[in-house]
């Protein structure tokens, strides 16, 4: 079970144009700082937030209780010109969890209902013995094949094509996909296996001639999972693995007292 | 002529994993604060920055001179764990300008060359009598048709589909497109006219059943243009215009001493 | 027992002038953001940080373990152009605790030793069953007596006089004092009682003709204590108390199941 | 003539306790970020802001016009849960200028008048041909004499004693003094000369056995002046000057085409 929190700025659209449209550079600064703060505050408790649409954000929050959510909600109210609502849900897949969370939020009224403020609710229940699976997906040598040779915007378009394709393919597995900067994506993907990813990467190789690799981490919290995913990615980069996927499980490392050195290595 | 600055974090990829992969919530906070700061600092001089890939950013900088760029570059060096390089270029279209700027950056070496640091250069020349055209594109009633009724992620995917489609269509006109949050996009689009946009919106209506509207501002700086675009958008929202496009030109307002009230209105 | 953490930027002096002196507005932004971040990150775990000298900060950290300190230290390293060292200590009084913590830091070398980086150590032990006492001290009607009638700088000087006097008087009780903005001070003051404060306030009344009031909170963490102190202050402001001190204890409220309404009230 | 802007958060006291007292770690983060932002935004135009009381701030703004002030005021409104008022004034001395500015603000009503919002006014006139003199004052070897050998709080108290003493002495010359972190102070001090400072430093040496040095910069803007002050301080540190004061004038450097190398040096 993965636990997802959907975060929504309350009645934000009308605010951006009241009494007159607000300067766009200010709105960009405001939104991206909100995102930074949410990551620091959820990150302090091993959660991870994705910016999504900036006014609607999706966070992985396994291990984070209701009172911590409430404290974060208060901290936003204390420092921003708006408030946020939050709904928490858990499910076998990330897609299901975010769907349940959204539905809970929607029950309280419209995102642009001026009377709906600071909702905080749990759709079903907080996860106790769940786990988070995150794939950290990265383009091979984007620097040499794009950044250093084509224009900044052409690289950007290509990254967006890969992104949308990945979103659509992963959705078939009820997994989510978020861009995290550069040529990097993170996919909360409980339930998917190595083969599922390899098949998608093959398709992308054929369609766009872009090669992907992914470290996949499975851990108790978003931070545990993403750290393991990062380590897996480095193993592939250092050619300690002879394929483009490396899966690392927190329980293997803890229970079998294995260092990550031994896992996911080349079999010689 | 539009003036574009391409901003690139120096040798950022290697830094993110040295000596070990850094916590992802920290990287997200770091990147989005860089973006916020760049918007505040360029915004102080009427520029506007788009986050693009977060490690490679594109800014509209008409009216901003080299020394101001240098001061911003220094301010980043003084407050961040990395430095940034910048190249400035001008052209008839935004696509051409960013291409020239990227090429100038590339001449100095790879984005991951550890010896290439704090490049600051101008591809051709700074714009003196240019103008900026920005279309602020927005989905009609996303709240009622998506946000309040489908899941947060489903809304997000739809916004991404529209985004990629817009990117591809606009590119044919050498215009750029950036997501700015919610259901909003900004298109630096010097040279495009009303008809060009209406045709693209029609295609999107047919393909995705999503209706778009756009305020288009034409002004001396990114801020002037985006402010006018916002005002145009509000005129459409308030049904003061009987189509989904409203173009406002700074020179019309200044020279003919017209208030925006009179422009882009319903002909009755 | 109160737990104090002393935080020090590593080798900061030399950095500020290498290779040339850095722009002062940047340094002010950098330092105050570090302070903001430390408050958000320690605050996420109910701690409270005071800016002190900005390069050397003092935090109350009851209830915050070593691993959380380490995570905060890493987060600074990941996002700032410098690193920080931290030493934790506990004692009966705040003064003793910060002294022990400082000594531990000093054992590792000079604040400007370029080889001393990211020290993290505990002087004696982390507090388990301790408590925090915080007095939130405020000047009566500073708005009417200063802000609205004398110059901004004259008000400022007067606040500084009161501050230094309070620092010296409180030190006799091994309590600390920090300015928190406006006309407000916070004094970590384990061991001091109502009478101690009233006497000091009297002296200040006589010497500077400035009247002070204080809410005093006693709780398990810095946040619990400071919240109670704030509530106490409000009770005085609303004249629910007939003196300038109101002490509130977390244990009274929890154990006796009393609401704060009943405590620290006017005896009629 | 020096130009000073007094910045005041509107009706801030009541806000901090409505409907209930707000978490202090949040307020500290909020206030210090406001300070950081003001420094970045005024800094973008070569101004410099001092945190003063955090709710009332004093800035040096030579060269910054009214419209730029207005844009900064709007940017705060767009991103913070409160608004700020500003008044600008110019005078021969910094003390006089801040006094005039405060008076202008006071004419509009109380700092806690809920109807007084976003005042922006000029007391007399904006400075055209003025100059800024800033002394950057620093304690000799605080690391060896305090930081590394006594407790963090004892160092802090000593810095505060020096601060208050400096404030009182400088006020006799109608100069202001602000703490800028570490063992550093900045004194806007138009009209004071080398001798004035040396006498005050002597008194402090006798009274507290603490030695001070100061780089004094005289330039068109706060940034010019503070950069020159920093350079002067480095010259003293590197023993290129045989006293504890080094004055550098922007006009000498520009007009006589002198590099700073030649100025303020040891006469051999
Ligand atoms: N958010 C995030 N971005 C990263 C991370 N690692 C790299 N990036 C981004 O990815 C960009 C490209 O770096 P790399 O992936 O190392 O470069 P590459 O040329 O593709 O090299 P290889 O992936 O090693 O083939 C960087 O500029 C960063 O923006 C990470 O851990 N998190
Ligand atoms: N960056 C930015 N985002 C905006 C702006 N205006 C609205 N938004 C975003 O758009 C979202 C949706 O708001 P609206 O577009 O007002 O809502 P809507 O339901 O589509 O309504 P209409 O557009 O009026 O049909 C908001 O939550 C914001 O995230 C703006 O000026 N700038
Ligand atoms: N950090 C912090 N500052 C506060 C708090 N409450 C008030 N202040 C500051 O204190 C300043 C003055 O506000 P008040 O103390 O309410 O005003 P006053 O005129 O002294 O009124 P009384 O204290 O009610 O007599 C505000 O501008 C704030 O800067 C608080 O809880 N925390
Ligand atoms: N704001 C600011 N603070 C500074 C600057 N330079 C140094 N500091 C602060 O001063 C502290 C002490 O550094 P130094 O003054 O270099 O150390 P010192 O031991 O006194 O050495 P000397 O001054 O060279 O005798 C640093 O930790 C910083 O907090 C500066 O330019 N601006
Ligand atoms: Ca890559
Ligand atoms: Ca819309
Ligand atoms: Ca008060
Ligand atoms: Ca010093």
């Amino acid at each position: 079970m993965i636990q997802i929190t959907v975060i929504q700025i309350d009645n934000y659209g009308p605010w951006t144009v009241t009494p007159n449209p607000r300067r766009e550079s200010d709105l960009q600064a405001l939104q991206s700082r909100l995102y930074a703060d949410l990551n620091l505050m959820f990150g302090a408790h091993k959660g991870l937030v994705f910016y999504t649409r900036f006014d609607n954000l999706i966070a992985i929050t396994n291990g984070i209780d209701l009172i911590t959510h409430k404290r974060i909600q208060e901290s936003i109210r204390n420092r921003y010109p708006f408030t946020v609502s939050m709904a928490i849900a858990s499910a076998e897949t990330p897609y299901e969890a975010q769907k349940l969370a959204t539905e809970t939020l929607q029950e309280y009224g419209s995102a642009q209902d001026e009377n709906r403020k600071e909702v905080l609710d749990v759709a079903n229940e907080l996860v106790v013995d769940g786990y988070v699976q995150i794939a950290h997906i990265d383009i091979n040598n984007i620097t040499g094949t794009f950044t250093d040779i084509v224009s900044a915007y052409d690289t950007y378009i290509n990254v967006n094509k890969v992104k949308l394709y990945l979103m659509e393919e992963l959705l078939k597995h009820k997994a989510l996909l978020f861009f995290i900067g550069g040529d990097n994506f993170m996919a909360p993907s409980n339930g998917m296996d190595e083969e599922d990813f390899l098949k998608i990467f093959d398709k992308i190789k054929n369609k766009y001639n872009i090669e992907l690799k992914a470290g996949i981490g499975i851990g108790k919290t978003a931070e545990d999972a993403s750290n393991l995913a990062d380590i897996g990615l480095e193993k592939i980069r250092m050619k300690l693995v002879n394929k483009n996927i490396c899966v690392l499980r927190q329980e293997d490392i803890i229970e079998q007292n294995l260092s990550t050195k031994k896992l996911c290595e080349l079999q010689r």
Side-chain angles (χ1 to χ4, degrees), chain A:
Chain A
M1 300 285 274
I2 188 168
Q3 178 177 312
I4 296 275
T5 302
V6 170
I7 305 159
Q8 191 172 79
I9 307 179
D10 293 321
N11 203 23
Y12 182 54
W15 181 86
T16 62
V17 291
T18 305
N20 295 305
R22 295 170 192 261
R23 193 179 307 153
E24 191 58 38
S25 56
D26 283 344
L27 295 181
Q28 293 303 307
L30 175 67
Q31 293 173 0
S32 53
R33 284 191 180 171
L34 173 68
Y35 176 55
D37 271 9
L38 288 171
N39 254 308
L40 287 187
M41 291 189 292
F42 278 105
H45 299 279
K46 305 203 169 186
L48 186 57
V49 188
F50 301 104
Y51 63 82
T52 324
R53 297 201 287 135
F54 285 106
D55 60 345
N56 286 265
L57 304 97
I58 295 179
I60 310 179
T61 56
N62 288 51
I64 304 182
D65 60 17
L66 193 64
I67 186 80
T68 302
H69 278 81
K70 192 167 155 43
R71 286 166 55 81
I72 293 173
Q73 193 178 45
E74 284 167 4
S75 186
I76 300 301
R77 180 213 304 155
N78 286 341
R79 298 181 293 111
Y80 282 83
F82 47 60
T83 55
V84 296
S85 286
M86 299 185 181
I88 313 167
S90 54
E92 293 298 331
T93 66
Y95 178 81
E96 275 309 312
Q98 65 82 33
K99 193 162 185 287
L100 289 169
T102 312
E103 285 164 7
T104 299
L105 219 49
Q106 289 163 344
E107 280 166 21
Y108 283 85
S110 169
Q112 294 195 359
D113 175 345
E114 58 185 32
N115 296 313
R116 200 213 66 183
K117 273 192 73 162
E118 291 198 307
V119 172
L120 176 60
D121 200 357
V122 187
N124 39 19
E125 55 194 359
L126 297 190
V127 168
V128 180
D129 265 333
Y131 75 98
V132 178
Q133 174 175 322
I134 289 180
H136 184 158
I137 304 172
D138 173 279
I139 297 178
N140 279 352
N141 189 21
I142 196 169
T143 312
T145 55
F146 287 91
T147 312
D148 287 350
I149 60 175
V150 306
S151 83
Y153 193 74
D154 286 308
T155 305
Y156 181 52
I157 285 212
N158 277 287
V159 168
N160 271 282
K161 284 183 185 161
V162 170
K163 178 182 163 195
L164 189 58
Y165 194 88
L166 278 171
M167 289 180 89
E168 290 174 336
E169 287 297 317
L170 288 168
L171 190 56
K172 298 177 188 165
H173 300 269
K174 300 204 178 294
L176 312 180
L177 184 98
F178 301 97
F179 179 57
I180 56 167
D183 61 340
N184 284 241
F185 308 94
M186 278 205 172
S189 50
N190 288 30
M192 286 182 69
D193 65 21
E194 243 183 75
E195 272 312 301
D196 297 332
F197 281 98
L198 286 172
K199 276 185 200 150
I200 297 173
F201 291 0
D202 266 355
K203 289 192 201 168
I204 287 180
K205 173 84 175 97
N206 290 333
K207 199 173 158 83
Y208 299 109
N209 197 26
I210 284 174
E211 267 187 80
L212 298 176
K213 56 182 168 292
I216 300 178
I218 300 176
K220 285 207 164 309
T221 65
E223 184 173 314
D224 297 327
S226 86
N227 283 349
L228 289 169
D230 284 0
I231 294 169
L233 204 55
E234 279 304 284
K235 284 179 175 291
I236 303 171
R237 268 210 186 94
M238 297 163 72
K239 302 206 186 307
L240 297 174
V241 192
N242 60 356
K243 56 192 170 197
N244 278 328
I245 299 273
C246 169
V247 184
L248 294 174
R249 279 181 188 75
Q250 193 174 18
E251 52 180 25
D252 291 352
I253 295 164
I254 294 168
E255 282 172 25
Q256 303 168 35
N257 197 8
L258 290 174
S259 83
T260 67
K261 284 230 180 66
K262 307 219 183 87
L263 293 166
C264 191
E265 269 174 46
L266 272 182
Q267 268 73 25
R268 302 183 202 237

